[in-house]
Amino acid sequence: MTRTDIDHYDGLAFWGPYDEAMIDSLVRSIHVPEDARALDIGCGDGAVLLRLALEHDALVLGVDRSEAALVLARHAFAQEGLEDRAAWFAQDAGGFQLAPDALEIGVWLGGPFVGDSHASTLQAFGTWIKPGGWMLLGQGYWITPPPAAYLEATSMPADTLDDEATMLAAVTDAGFEVTSRLESSRAVWDHFEGTIHANHEAYAAAHPDDADVQAMLASKQTWHDAQQRWGRDVMGFALYTARML
């Protein structure tokens, strides 16, 4: 049996280090016309797009390479009678393309890149979103330079993230003005990471004779331990609204 994103994120309302209050605040802080078009790159189960459809009657596009995740997204929209408000694309985000000025809302909450970098993704959204449109952005950043032991334990290059000022400069360079910021609390981080780790342990317990699964758990345990020892002090995450100028 192949492990899916559904198993990975089981028990989480959102597939990132943010909670319902943060997402609702973000969604309600923007003002868009009726039938605004919204795109989420790395949409997962469509939870954020569903909020946009319910709050703003948006027409939504969701891109995710996980077929299992998109099954959940379709089901969630069907339950609300919103099937005709959504289109789903099961593909890698890297080569995704849209016409210029095709959107009023872009959503990128720490998902995969369009192109090959953080900057190229922001530039793509800067092309797709009309002037006056909105970006709902979620990004990790280094609070302080990460120690070498942490990078070694997680196999993360130091340039995986930027400090927050550098990251936000790339948002500005893509043509956006940041208008609000909500920082993920340590409690939100711990709930997110703890739930994922518990899911890893449960999956491994259900497959005790699978050497690959046990190796996966050992690797995830190393990551989890490093996050608890160092990551909680050096890595931050925040949600932002940004308006296209």
Side-chain angles (χ1 to χ4, degrees):
M1 178 178 175
T2 301
R3 192 165 186 265
T4 69
D5 287 340
I6 296 172
D7 303 300
H8 187 76
Y9 295 112
D10 186 37
L12 289 169
F14 298 99
W15 293 8
Y18 36 86
D19 62 14
E20 186 170 10
M22 294 174 71
I23 291 295
D24 285 346
S25 177
L26 206 69
V27 167
R28 290 170 181 166
S29 69
I30 65 172
H31 303 282
V32 294
E34 186 177 351
D35 291 338
R37 291 159 296 180
L39 167 70
D40 187 348
I41 293 291
C43 66
D45 64 356
V48 176
L49 287 176
L50 183 59
R51 290 294 201 284
L52 289 168
L54 292 170
E55 181 71 22
H56 296 294
D57 201 25
L59 295 164
V60 308
L61 307 174
V63 179
D64 203 287
R65 65 182 181 180
S66 170
E67 292 276 8
L70 295 183
V71 167
L72 290 181
R74 291 186 182 96
H75 179 69
F77 272 73
Q79 284 191 310
E80 298 289 345
L82 296 172
E83 303 99 313
D84 62 343
R85 308 294 291 178
W88 309 102
F89 300 87
Q91 66 179 79
D92 288 332
F96 189 78
Q97 296 183 359
L98 279 178
D101 297 337
L103 304 171
E104 283 77 26
I105 308 168
V107 182
W108 187 42
L109 303 182
F113 293 148
V114 179
D116 59 4
S117 69
H118 176 262
S120 66
T121 306
L122 291 169
Q123 292 292 334
F125 275 110
T127 299
W128 298 335
I129 297 174
K130 291 180 176 180
W134 292 92
M135 184 87 182
L136 308 185
L137 180 68
Q139 286 293 300
Y141 55 88
W142 295 130
I143 299 170
T144 61
Y150 171 66
L151 297 176
E152 182 179 358
T154 58
S155 299
M156 291 175 62
D159 62 0
T160 299
L161 300 175
D162 291 314
D163 61 77
E164 189 175 21
T166 301
M167 181 270 293
L168 289 177
V171 179
T172 301
D173 289 345
F176 295 98
E177 178 186 17
V178 175
T179 59
S180 71
R181 176 186 185 275
L182 292 170
E183 185 172 4
S184 294
S185 69
R186 179 43 53 191
V188 169
W189 265 108
D190 285 347
H191 174 67
F192 175 67
E193 293 182 343
T195 300
I196 290 175
H197 189 63
N199 290 340
H200 294 152
E201 291 181 320
Y203 187 81
H207 300 80
D209 299 325
D210 188 324
D212 290 339
V213 170
Q214 299 308 314
M216 176 276 292
L217 179 61
S219 174
K220 298 299 185 183
Q221 184 67 56
T222 298
W223 171 278
H224 181 70
D225 292 346
Q227 285 297 102
Q228 293 301 301
R229 181 173 179 181
W230 297 293
R232 61 191 293 123
D233 297 319
V234 301
M235 182 186 293
F237 190 96
L239 299 178
Y240 310 85
T241 55
R243 191 139 197 206
M244 187 65 195
L245 299 175

